[in-house]
Amino acid sequence: MKGRRAYDILILIFALTILSGCGNNINTGDVRNYSDSILENILISGNLRNYNDYSKDFSDNMKAALTEDLFNKNNALVKDKIGEYVSKDFIKVNTKKEKGINYIIVIYNAKYSKEPQGALVSITFKEKDENHKVEGLFMTSPKLAGK
Amino acid sequence: MIFSYSILFMAISAFIGVFIPIIISVFLSMKYKASWKAVTVGAAIFVIFQLATRIPLLQYLQKTYWYSYNLVVNPWLIYILAGLSAGIFEEVGRFIGIKYFLKDKQQWKNGIAYGIGHGGIEAIIFCGVPLIITIVNSLATGTLPNEPAYLFLVSGIERISAMTFHVGASLMVLYAVRERKYRYVLYAILAHSILDSAIGFIKGIFFIELWAAVAAMTTLIFMIIKIKNNSSEKIMS
């Protein structure tokens, strides 16, 4: 009985942990007003191999993490595996809290010339940042995962 | 200083990953006459059901659009899938190993030996050997992986939790086989799935390791109490 009770408590803690991440008051339209154009610039700049334009909306942390050398390496891989960026469709906005900071994660499906179903791209901003600096950028697709 | 701490922590975790399972297996064998066959079957089942089956299936799944989509849009689904698949593959494998390959070795002490074999080979493959290679490379090149030193220690501590869980889960499945209460196999699948899935939801390495340790200890203690209350045979007899 003691063991079963301990398990019940563990499952309750687990459930509360999950539920604590649910629910947000983000206005999708407001977020898309800046995220659509910022991501469009990033993906077009990737096509053009232009790091200066690619990183112009990056936060300092992002610039330090995603240097020009790394950009060139990643961009070459993306072009090789999934081709050129064509267009994108908005999917949804998520939020997360990390180290006391609220983040907004905007998710798109980006069409690429050699990836028929598209690549999933997420772009992350700080919720309270009025300059809308990019804090995170992630891309995956079946062909990229199979590299 | 950081360099020396990193090497020190890697060495401690490599020791935990490689030598602790061997030392415990030898101890169980010499002091309690536990079966080496149980240790070996535990290790073999891990290799067959995890390395040769589950991981290739997950790698195949990772190349689908469904996986890419849900990894980004519904990551919770991927956490649950990863946990549930670990639970199903490893616990069904454990059931097959104990029921069909250890027919004459179903004493409780051999359940512990099975868990050490299963968790031990996992520790050797995923922690001990990679860290030994990293230590050798670091000493040869004078450079270290770009990670905080404490993370190397965490990997060893995590293996202790994992081995503890595997011993508890092995006793649970052995209990199912011995007492013909097969719902305990489902409980083992559920416990394993919850333990692994939760890791995706919990933020911060400290809380992840705390969760793993508490869940593993709870599983083991639950089974020890269960066996003491329901079996006339002592666990280490």
Side-chain angles (χ1 to χ4, degrees):
Chain A
M1 277 309 280
K2 282 180 185 171
R4 184 172 291 175
R5 195 173 302 151
Y7 248 109
D8 290 345
I9 292 167
L10 278 178
I11 290 169
L12 182 66
I13 292 168
F14 176 51
L16 289 173
T17 306
I18 295 170
L19 290 174
S20 68
C22 297
N24 67 65
N25 298 316
I26 300 296
N27 184 316
T28 300
D30 290 347
V31 172
R32 288 191 63 187
N33 277 342
Y34 57 85
S35 73
D36 283 8
S37 56
I38 289 173
L39 183 61
E40 186 72 12
N41 169 68
I42 288 172
L43 299 177
I44 293 284
S45 303
N47 276 358
L48 301 173
R49 297 181 176 86
N50 185 333
Y51 179 74
N52 287 335
D53 279 352
Y54 181 86
S55 62
K56 79 181 175 68
D57 294 306
F58 282 8
S59 68
D60 290 342
N61 285 341
M62 269 295 285
K63 281 180 183 166
L66 188 44
T67 59
E68 187 162 3
D69 282 349
L70 195 55
F71 162 76
N72 288 332
K73 199 173 146 191
N74 290 347
N75 205 40
L77 179 76
V78 168
K79 282 180 181 292
D80 177 49
K81 293 287 176 186
I82 63 174
E84 297 282 322
Y85 165 67
V86 179
S87 64
K88 69 180 188 312
D89 294 315
F90 168 79
I91 296 179
K92 68 185 286 195
V93 176
N94 279 344
T95 58
K96 73 168 180 180
K97 189 171 185 176
E98 217 170 86
K99 294 177 182 172
I101 300 170
N102 291 321
Y103 290 95
I104 296 168
I105 305 159
V106 197
I107 302 167
Y108 297 84
N109 183 305
K111 302 275 186 300
Y112 276 80
S113 57
K114 294 197 285 186
E115 185 67 286
Q117 290 180 287
L120 277 301
V121 182
S122 74
I123 184 166
T124 305
F125 305 93
K126 277 182 184 166
E127 192 180 324
K128 302 286 182 194
D129 180 7
E130 291 178 355
N131 296 316
H132 308 310
K133 291 293 180 188
V134 178
E135 299 289 341
L137 189 64
F138 176 74
M139 177 186 285
T140 187
S141 81
K143 286 183 180 172
L144 287 174
K147 65 183 181 289
Chain B
M1 202 59 181
I2 293 297
F3 182 85
S4 55
Y5 275 126
S6 294
I7 295 289
L8 175 67
F9 291 162
M10 278 194 273
I12 292 170
S13 288
F15 177 83
I16 292 170
V18 174
F19 293 106
I20 292 291
I22 295 170
I23 290 168
I24 294 174
S25 299
V26 170
F27 174 77
L28 287 172
S29 171
M30 292 182 73
K31 185 162 173 65
Y32 296 103
K33 307 286 181 231
S35 164
W36 277 103
K37 186 181 172 186
V39 177
T40 309
V41 170
I45 289 290
F46 175 81
V47 171
I48 294 164
F49 280 81
Q50 177 70 285
L51 298 186
T53 311
R54 176 179 170 255
I55 289 177
L57 279 174
L58 285 182
Q59 284 171 339
Y60 172 79
L61 194 63
Q62 282 169 7
K63 295 172 190 171
T64 64
Y65 182 77
W66 180 91
Y67 187 94
S68 294
Y69 180 88
N70 286 299
L71 180 67
V72 177
V73 180
N74 304 308
W76 58 270
L77 190 60
I78 301 299
Y79 304 151
I80 290 172
L81 174 79
L84 194 60
S85 62
I88 291 171
F89 278 84
E90 289 191 57
E91 300 314 322
V92 169
R94 207 185 309 265
F95 174 72
I96 291 169
I98 289 171
K99 184 168 174 63
Y100 298 105
F101 294 95
L102 294 175
K103 279 181 180 171
D104 55 338
K105 306 281 182 195
Q106 291 178 350
Q107 297 90 345
W108 299 121
K109 63 186 177 187
N110 289 331
I112 296 172
Y114 181 102
I116 293 297
H118 190 121
I121 195 73
E122 184 181 44
I124 290 168
I125 292 170
F126 290 137
C127 175
V129 171
L131 283 178
I132 289 170
I133 292 169
T134 308
I135 290 170
V136 171
N137 285 340
S138 300
L139 294 176
T141 61
T143 58
L144 279 172
N146 188 23
E147 288 183 37
Y150 72 89
L151 283 181
F152 297 117
L153 190 60
V154 166
S155 64
I157 294 167
E158 186 179 274
R159 287 303 102 202
I160 294 172
S161 299
M163 278 188 274
T164 304
F165 175 78
H166 282 301
V167 171
S170 298
L171 288 173
M172 199 177 280
V173 173
L174 178 57
Y175 183 84
V177 172
R178 278 181 54 139
E179 306 294 321
R180 296 182 186 278
K181 292 180 178 174
Y182 294 113
R183 66 179 184 275
Y184 278 82
V185 178
L186 292 178
Y187 295 163
I189 291 172
L190 189 64
H192 200 147
S193 301
I194 291 172
L195 169 59
D196 282 14
S197 297
I199 288 168
F201 293 96
I202 299 168
K203 302 300 173 201
I205 193 76
F206 172 77
F207 291 109
I208 288 172
E209 297 310 324
L210 182 65
W211 159 258
V214 170
M217 283 304 296
T218 306
T219 304
L220 181 59
I221 291 168
F222 173 81
M223 280 318 300
I224 289 171
I225 293 169
K226 191 82 192 164
I227 291 166
K228 279 189 172 177
N229 290 342
N230 292 279
S231 175
S232 55
E233 181 193 321
K234 284 186 177 175
I235 291 178
M236 298 310 291
S237 65

